[in-house]
Amino acid sequence: MATKNEYNHEHAPRMEWARHAPEVYKAMVRLDAAARQGVDPTLLELVKIRASQLNHCAFCLDMHTKDALAAGESVDRIIQLSAWEESRHFYTAREIAAIELTEAVTVLTDGFVPDEVYERAAKQFEEAELAQLIAAITVINAWNRFGVTTRMAPGHYTPGQYNH
């Protein structure tokens, strides 16, 4: 009989994809480093957390919430991120534009990013910054898909363990 406070067993990853596809992994690390150039680190973590929430990537949520906290992000802002539309006062207009763009790119409702979402982001970011932000959003979505598909187990990451 299980006790009241007994946790479920941790699932095993389906595979260690980075070990089996090392060149893809190395290319992803390089792409990640290139995509984040010029993107505010705090904003980048918010984007990575929000995309990972939408994609249900527990491994990336573990990683990026820990990295955000280690970088000084507040617990309140991280908690409220999943309900940002009701918690706009926790974020700047620039952050809201980035979060909204993250959702549009991640979900691709009706197969496209709405013009009004793109235009709000374009008002908050210079064109080069916006290009980098779009790249960063795309990269975290790719990482999420590797993590979710291979069932990478969360809970073992320490801040700064990886460079992505």
Side-chain angles (χ1 to χ4, degrees):
M1 176 179 230
T3 64
K4 182 178 175 182
N5 294 327
E6 186 176 328
Y7 291 102
N8 289 310
H9 294 287
E10 181 178 306
H11 68 266
R14 287 179 173 153
M15 72 157 55
E16 294 179 47
W17 78 268
R19 185 168 62 87
H20 295 292
E23 292 307 311
V24 175
Y25 178 79
K26 290 176 197 172
M28 282 295 299
V29 169
R30 288 190 306 273
L31 181 61
D32 188 273
R36 71 173 173 253
Q37 289 180 5
V39 180
D40 175 77
T42 301
L43 180 72
L44 183 62
E45 290 304 328
L46 291 175
V47 162
K48 288 181 176 188
I49 293 167
R50 187 63 190 132
S52 299
Q53 289 171 336
L54 293 166
N55 289 322
H56 305 278
C57 186
F59 181 85
C60 292
L61 279 170
D62 181 53
M63 175 188 294
H64 296 296
T65 55
K66 287 176 179 175
D67 282 347
L69 288 167
E73 184 55 83
S74 76
V75 171
D76 288 340
R77 284 169 39 99
I78 293 170
I79 290 169
Q80 292 301 319
L81 194 53
S82 64
W84 67 269
E85 290 176 292
E86 298 295 322
S87 306
R88 289 176 178 266
H89 61 285
F90 282 85
Y91 309 99
T92 66
R94 185 175 168 93
E95 290 168 338
I96 290 292
I99 293 164
E100 188 176 33
L101 184 63
T102 299
E103 288 201 9
V105 171
T106 300
V107 178
L108 289 177
T109 305
D110 297 326
F112 62 92
V113 174
D115 289 339
E116 59 274 9
V117 171
Y118 184 87
E119 288 165 12
R120 280 192 289 275
K123 287 179 184 172
Q124 294 293 327
F125 296 91
E126 299 288 328
E127 223 170 46
E129 290 177 305
L130 185 56
Q132 289 297 129
L133 179 59
I134 292 166
I137 293 166
T138 302
V139 171
I140 188 57
N141 273 280
W143 283 122
N144 289 165
R145 279 146 178 78
F146 286 118
V148 170
T149 304
T150 63
R151 295 186 65 201
M152 294 174 71
H156 304 286
Y157 179 77
T158 56
Q161 183 177 341
Y162 302 116
N163 290 329
H164 56 78

